[in-house]
Amino acid sequence: MDGWITLHRKLLDKPIWHESTPEQKVILITLMLMANHKEKQWEWQGRPYKAKPGQFVTSINSIVERCGKGVSAQNVRTALKRFEKYEFLTNQSTKQNRLITIVNWGFYQDMEQPTNKATNRQLTDDQQTANSQLTTNNNVNNATKKQDNKTSSSKRKARVYDPSSNYYILAERLFKQICQNQEIKTPDLNRWADDIRKMIEIDKRTEDQVRGMIDWATANDFWAANILSARKLREKYDVLKGQANREYKATKSNQNSYGKPYKTESVTNWDEVAPPVEADPALEAELDRQMAEFLQEGDS
């Protein structure tokens, strides 16, 4: 294969890039390289089929092969589902092949000509519903395109988290444990995952600390009724941490070396009531003398 595509730096500013794993980034670029650069027609089972720029017919195995070493079929399936959520592409599959459409192909190629803008609008509206097996097309971009220095500024979209990401998993954990105590409406777990991310990246908590705090707060009689969102968990984290530490220390001091509680009664800590004083040698000698006399009287 020969030819080239444009990979614009604006891609670096998009969530689909900085929220992707290294394998997903390889898959993303590979999909762009595999897409048609211009309209292509062929006949399939006696019916004409037309692929527009940004579309191509392929298979999971073909994508894996094109990506090269280190990318598995499961990586590709996960990436396709994730890219669909970002509305980067649409994915129509049949028994063996699938039609993939890069939704904003012209945007990612920085094509500003009117014809290309029209193509972008038509990509999702004019997709063919393929009910039979489609043939694989590996067309590449051999044409030369004009570049300009125009830049587009668009409002930054809210982050979208993969359900397999640690942030999303912790958000689900919090929701499920809240539901064990009371019924609440299904929240926007994507927003909860973003609050979890802020706790870890901004507040410098570890994943284990956040997981442990979720478990503790939802098991505490008082906080289980008050921590009903990831945002509230983040807001009250320091208060929760202080109370959890106090309870831990109280429990720890009441256990033996085997981790089981002692049978104890309340004993005053006299070191805290009054500080210890240095012994007086003369007073100790007098006490010893009186004790000796007491013992002698007892013997007689």
Side-chain angles (χ1 to χ4, degrees), residues 289-300:
R289 185 186 66 77
Q290 291 180 12
M291 180 60 71
E293 290 180 355
F294 174 78
L295 293 174
Q296 288 177 358
E297 291 177 357
D299 293 339
S300 63

Side-chain angles (χ1 to χ4, degrees), residues 196-211:
I196 297 292
R197 177 191 64 81
K198 291 175 182 177
M199 293 173 66
I200 294 173
E201 294 184 0
I202 299 176
D203 302 341
K204 305 303 180 183
R205 321 288 188 192
T206 66
E207 290 180 14
D208 287 340
Q209 288 173 336
V210 174
R211 186 181 300 105

Side-chain angles (χ1 to χ4, degrees), residues 173-232:
R173 184 188 189 94
L174 175 59
F175 174 58
K176 289 177 180 178
Q177 296 204 25
I178 290 174
C179 289
Q180 291 179 0
N181 301 317
Q182 56 190 299
E183 292 185 4
I184 63 172
K185 293 182 179 179
T186 302
D188 183 350
L189 288 177
N190 196 65
R191 183 174 295 177
W192 281 29
D194 195 54
D195 287 323
I196 297 292
R197 177 191 64 81
K198 291 175 182 177
M199 293 173 66
I200 294 173
E201 294 184 0
I202 299 176
D203 302 341
K204 305 303 180 183
R205 321 288 188 192
T206 66
E207 290 180 14
D208 287 340
Q209 288 173 336
V210 174
R211 186 181 300 105
M213 190 57 69
I214 289 173
D215 295 345
W216 183 87
T218 52
N220 181 275
D221 291 338
F222 175 78
W223 290 112
N226 290 276
I227 301 300
L228 302 179
S229 70
R231 178 170 294 183
K232 183 62 69 173

Side-chain angles (χ1 to χ4, degrees), residues 75-76 85 92 125 229 271 300:
N75 292 149
V76 173
K85 290 181 180 180
Q92 294 177 313
D125 297 335
S229 70
D271 286 340
S300 63

Side-chain angles (χ1 to χ4, degrees), residues 8-287:
H8 205 285
R9 287 191 179 94
K10 67 180 73 172
L11 182 61
L12 293 174
D13 299 326
K14 297 193 169 295
I16 194 173
W17 181 263
H18 55 69
E19 293 292 339
S20 292
T21 64
E23 292 81 8
Q24 289 169 351
K25 291 175 181 177
V26 171
I27 295 168
L28 186 148
I29 295 174
T30 301
L31 293 175
M32 294 179 67
L33 289 168
M34 295 175 70
N36 287 310
H37 75 278
K38 63 181 180 181
E39 211 170 73
K40 182 177 178 63
Q41 297 183 8
W42 70 90
E43 188 175 288
W44 174 251
Q45 291 187 344
R47 298 175 58 186
Y49 185 85
K50 181 186 296 183
K52 293 180 171 57
Q55 289 185 315
F56 61 105
V57 179
T58 187
S59 65
I60 294 292
N61 290 337
S62 180
I63 298 173
V64 171
E65 182 180 352
R66 295 289 184 183
C67 288
K69 186 177 180 180
V71 175
S72 65
Q74 185 58 49
N75 292 149
V76 173
R77 292 190 185 93
T78 301
L80 290 176
K81 291 180 181 179
R82 188 165 183 272
F83 295 162
E84 281 190 279
K85 290 181 180 180
Y86 277 104
E87 298 181 353
F88 172 76
L89 57 78
T90 61
N91 176 26
Q92 294 177 313
S93 62
T94 60
K95 292 182 179 180
Q96 294 184 359
N97 296 320
R98 59 190 64 227
L99 172 66
I100 292 178
T101 303
I102 308 297
V103 176
N104 291 318
W105 173 254
F107 174 80
Y108 289 106
Q109 290 301 291
D110 199 21
M111 297 178 179
E112 300 295 335
Q113 296 89 344
T115 55
N116 289 318
K117 289 184 178 179
T119 297
N120 283 334
R121 290 194 299 270
Q122 294 173 6
L123 280 175
T124 52
D125 297 335
D126 298 337
Q127 291 177 40
Q128 301 291 330
T129 304
N131 296 320
S132 57
Q133 180 178 342
L134 302 175
T135 56
T136 301
N137 171 54
N138 293 320
N139 189 37
V140 296
N141 184 358
N142 294 315
T144 304
K145 89 174 188 62
K146 294 173 66 177
Q147 293 187 0
D148 59 31
N149 295 322
K150 290 183 179 181
T151 58
S152 61
S153 59
S154 58
K155 186 177 180 180
R156 186 184 181 90
K157 291 184 178 180
R159 291 174 182 251
V160 178
Y161 294 88
D162 193 297
S164 63
S165 69
N166 291 339
Y167 303 142
Y168 198 95
I169 291 173
L170 287 172
E172 280 189 322
R173 184 188 189 94
L174 175 59
F175 174 58
K176 289 177 180 178
Q177 296 204 25
I178 290 174
C179 289
Q180 291 179 0
N181 301 317
Q182 56 190 299
E183 292 185 4
I184 63 172
K185 293 182 179 179
T186 302
D188 183 350
L189 288 177
N190 196 65
R191 183 174 295 177
W192 281 29
D194 195 54
D195 287 323
I196 297 292
R197 177 191 64 81
K198 291 175 182 177
M199 293 173 66
I200 294 173
E201 294 184 0
I202 299 176
D203 302 341
K204 305 303 180 183
R205 321 288 188 192
T206 66
E207 290 180 14
D208 287 340
Q209 288 173 336
V210 174
R211 186 181 300 105
M213 190 57 69
I214 289 173
D215 295 345
W216 183 87
T218 52
N220 181 275
D221 291 338
F222 175 78
W223 290 112
N226 290 276
I227 301 300
L228 302 179
S229 70
R231 178 170 294 183
K232 183 62 69 173
L233 179 69
R234 184 188 180 205
E235 178 185 328
K236 298 296 184 182
Y237 189 95
D238 287 331
V239 178
L240 296 168
K241 178 182 177 182
Q243 184 174 338
N245 283 339
R246 287 192 297 272
E247 290 186 5
Y248 173 78
K249 290 178 181 178
T251 303
K252 198 71 175 176
S253 64
N254 199 33
Q255 291 180 347
N256 58 26
S257 60
Y258 297 98
K260 296 182 179 180
Y262 287 112
K263 293 180 179 179
T264 59
E265 59 185 30
S266 178
V267 178
T268 302
N269 185 348
W270 293 107
D271 286 340
E272 295 180 358
V273 176
V277 296
E278 294 184 1
D280 185 348
L283 179 59
E284 288 187 351
E286 177 62 20
L287 290 173

